Amino acid sequence: MNCLQRSVRSVILSKLIHMFYNFNMPSKDIHTNSETNSSTDSWIDDLPLCRRCGIGLSTGRNHGGQQDRYAFEDRSFYCQLDDSTHLYGIFDGHMGPRAAEFVLQRIPAEILLGQLTERKTDEEIKEVIRQAYISVEKEYLNSLGDLLAERTSLQCELPHGLPAYEAYQKYPEIFEKLKSINYELSSGTSALISLVFNNKLYVANVGNSRALLCKTDANAVLRVVQLSVDHDLRNEDELLRLLQLGITTSNLKYGSQIGNQETTRCLGNYLVKGGYKEYRELYSAYSEPVIAEPEIHGGIHLDESCRFLLLMSAGLYKTLEEVIPANQVNKYIAQLVVEQFRCQSTLNAVAQTVVDKAIYLYSNNSQSYSGSNSSNTSVNSVPGRREDITLIIRNFNFMLQNSSDSSSSSSTSNSSSVTSTLDTHHSSTTTTSSPQYMNETNRDIHRLKPYVDFSCYYVNIRRIQDN
């Protein structure tokens, strides 16, 4: 790409930033920084919202307390480029919204700026999506140069070999600055993308946001198919990948974090990538353990059996896992959606009511928990914080019974029966929505291939052993 092409692309990208900059942010009770309220003006008309979508949002809480509000870290968008191209995304940020905002601004442009032109096969389209993830990851890490330089400079001001506690006592200002910088460097995000292109569905994700496709089978039973993969320490395939990198997974398997985050894949978070050697449990890895490589599924032909698509940040299903068994959560969410399709008049109302009901169930459970431990006021007796929640519903042909808008409803009757499964084209996880579809045979057949080819490594090991 020559200088002129780069300049033109930069101008287009800057305009797309204004257009995509999360014009679907939370309502007044959601805390956002002022940048998220920037005007979109005519860019919304140039690339309009998808009218077949609805969104529900809720900010998280620490221990369920009103006084414990914090910045909303989720980012999302849903747009329509033309009649055959729709793009949706949810970015579940952690350690602040910095990474989620960056990805929101860049990744749509990496897919919609002509990259799909003349792409015919599923593999070509999936490669466009994969390159979008890799490109945005590289851009984000490159943007951290000034922070890393400042961090290195501050570290050089501390005497070498001085114990951390003693150093903090003597240089508290330096330590506070380093703490603030490390927080910025730790900002990362799960990234879930769904592309509808030429009547085919493609889903890509890193992290633990979920995509559920709800479709009817031959018996008119609504089935819930999880198209995404939860990249966390409950995923046996991810544990296998970490083991092959030289990490002692027994130190991780019964915990909830890898480094300073829960997910084994994400965009951003320099400290578990370029800085992963700073974590004792990750030091033995000979390459970065947390990766940005997405798992991509598609294309799924969108026929009459495909009823609606659910995209959600982890906060929604984790909130419900506090109340109902984890292996029933996907099915339960789909049932909530079906119920609201029958009584709401807009897709936004459907999505928001599902979110509100999940929070209501969680709150009741938390109150019961607190009541049963009223004599114990320790921190351990209080449930953990509830994460931010974002839910996007993309309707294909499910009837919104109280709607007068034909664009969001269908004459097809709604099924009352819901069952659940996991798409076995992806790597298996221990958090699937229906155990009967996850027997040991399927787990072996569909195991995720190693991220790195270790064949040469094992050949060399054998040679050393033979000698």
Side-chain angles (χ1 to χ4, degrees):
M1 182 181 293
N2 58 38
C3 293
L4 178 60
Q5 289 174 318
R6 290 180 185 275
S7 298
V8 171
R9 190 173 186 273
S10 178
V11 170
I12 297 174
L13 180 57
S14 66
K15 291 182 177 180
L16 280 174
I17 287 173
H18 291 290
M19 177 180 62
F20 281 106
Y21 202 86
N22 208 8
F23 32 78
N24 299 298
M25 289 302 298
S27 56
K28 293 181 180 179
D29 67 320
I30 302 297
H31 289 262
T32 65
N33 53 43
S34 59
E35 291 178 353
T36 59
N37 297 321
S38 48
S39 174
T40 56
D41 296 331
S42 63
W43 287 104
I44 297 178
D45 298 328
D46 293 338
L47 200 61
L49 296 174
C50 175
R51 296 180 64 223
R52 287 183 169 270
C53 279
I55 188 168
L57 303 156
S58 176
T59 191
R61 295 288 186 274
N62 287 326
H63 310 308
Q66 289 293 326
Q67 72 278 13
D68 292 318
R69 293 185 177 189
Y70 61 99
F72 189 77
E73 296 175 335
D74 284 4
R75 297 293 183 265
S76 60
F77 72 90
Y78 51 99
C79 67
Q80 176 178 342
L81 182 63
D82 53 45
D83 290 341
S84 63
T85 310
H86 303 74
L87 188 64
Y88 318 97
I90 290 180
F91 311 108
D92 186 351
H94 54 265
M95 297 291 187
R98 177 180 181 137
E101 288 180 358
F102 187 97
V103 176
L104 170 72
Q105 294 171 16
R106 265 66 174 189
I107 209 165
E110 293 291 340
I111 297 174
L112 298 178
L113 278 182
Q115 293 88 341
L116 297 174
T117 304
E118 298 182 358
R119 297 298 192 274
K120 303 296 183 182
T121 68
D122 290 340
E123 292 305 314
E124 288 176 331
I125 294 169
K126 288 192 285 187
E127 181 61 19
V128 168
I129 298 173
R130 192 187 79 84
Q131 288 297 332
Y133 275 74
I134 301 305
S135 175
V136 171
E137 165 81 351
K138 183 177 180 180
E139 289 179 29
Y140 180 76
L141 295 180
N142 287 341
S143 74
L144 302 177
D146 290 343
L147 274 177
L148 291 171
E150 184 180 359
R151 181 174 183 254
T152 301
S153 176
L154 290 170
Q155 289 172 333
C156 290
E157 294 182 26
L158 297 174
H160 181 69
L162 192 65
Y165 177 77
E166 187 176 345
Y168 179 77
Q169 295 297 317
K170 291 184 176 181
Y171 308 97
E173 292 183 0
I174 294 178
F175 266 79
E176 288 302 317
K177 289 180 180 178
L178 284 172
K179 180 180 178 180
S180 176
I181 291 174
N182 284 338
Y183 184 83
E184 289 291 315
L185 293 174
S186 297
S187 182
T189 184
S190 294
L192 174 65
I193 288 291
S194 176
L195 171 68
V196 175
F197 183 61
N198 291 336
N199 206 39
K200 283 188 175 182
L201 174 65
Y202 303 84
V203 171
N205 84 292
V206 294
N208 57 0
S209 296
R210 282 186 186 174
L212 308 179
L213 177 62
C214 300
K215 56 189 301 184
T216 50
D217 62 15
N219 297 318
V221 175
L222 191 67
R223 301 182 64 84
V224 185
V225 184
Q226 182 172 327
L227 299 180
S228 57
V229 176
D230 296 342
H231 296 132
D232 57 28
L233 294 176
R234 297 182 293 181
N235 184 327
E236 294 183 2
D237 292 316
E238 288 295 277
L239 286 173
L240 175 63
R241 180 178 64 79
L242 296 173
L243 178 64
Q244 292 172 332
L245 291 177
I247 296 175
T248 305
T249 56
S250 59
N251 296 336
L252 302 173
K253 189 171 184 180
Y254 299 105
S256 60
Q257 289 196 321
I258 174 169
N260 63 355
Q261 67 175 40
E262 294 183 2
T263 57
T264 56
R265 303 191 191 194
C266 75
L267 297 180
N269 195 349
Y270 169 84
L271 291 189
V272 293
K273 292 179 179 175
Y276 75 91
K277 292 286 187 180
E278 298 178 17
Y279 292 94
R280 180 181 301 175
E281 67 272 22
L282 305 180
Y283 185 83
S284 60
Y286 51 82
S287 66
E288 295 180 3
V290 177
I291 59 177
E293 182 75 20
E295 298 211 42
I296 310 174
H297 182 73
I300 301 171
H301 180 66
L302 295 173
D303 56 22
E304 288 298 317
S305 69
C306 299
R307 311 305 298 278
F308 54 87
L309 176 71
L310 305 178
L311 307 176
M312 68 194 72
S313 58
L316 179 58
Y317 67 81
K318 285 185 177 182
T319 294
L320 288 170
E321 284 178 356
E322 296 291 329
V323 184
I324 61 178
N327 61 5
Q328 296 296 316
V329 166
N330 288 354
K331 177 181 176 181
Y332 186 80
I333 293 172
Q335 287 174 329
L336 287 179
V337 172
V338 169
E339 290 171 4
Q340 296 309 310
F341 263 99
R342 294 179 180 138
C343 58
Q344 301 295 339
S345 60
T346 68
L347 289 171
N348 280 334
V350 173
Q352 190 60 55
T353 304
V354 170
V355 170
D356 293 343
K357 282 183 173 292
I359 295 170
Y360 177 77
L361 289 171
Y362 172 84
S363 298
N364 282 351
N365 183 67
S366 298
Q367 291 172 4
S368 298
Y369 182 90
S370 299
S372 64
N373 294 278
S374 57
S375 61
N376 184 358
T377 57
S378 67
V379 174
N380 291 334
S381 69
V382 183
R385 76 175 179 89
R386 175 177 61 77
E387 296 184 18
D388 297 329
I389 296 176
T390 300
L391 171 64
I392 293 177
I393 300 176
R394 196 330 183 156
N395 192 20
F396 296 121
N397 60 16
F398 211 64
M399 181 188 296
L400 192 59
Q401 293 185 357
N402 290 333
S403 173
S404 59
D405 184 359
S406 60
S407 68
S408 60
S409 62
S410 168
S411 60
T412 308
S413 61
N414 294 344
S415 171
S416 58
S417 300
V418 181
T419 188
S420 178
T421 185
L422 176 82
D423 188 338
T424 54
H425 290 287
H426 276 312
S427 63
S428 61
T429 83
T430 58
T431 58
T432 60
S433 54
S434 183
Q436 63 267 30
Y437 292 95
M438 280 301 302
N439 56 46
E440 292 298 325
T441 303
N442 284 343
R443 184 173 296 163
D444 293 336
I445 292 175
H446 301 290
R447 184 170 294 281
L448 179 69
K449 294 181 180 179
Y451 180 63
V452 180
D453 183 4
F454 294 95
S455 57
C456 293
Y457 168 79
Y458 290 119
V459 168
N460 290 331
I461 289 294
R462 292 192 192 97
R463 287 176 180 172
I464 293 173
Q465 291 173 340
D466 292 340
N467 294 331

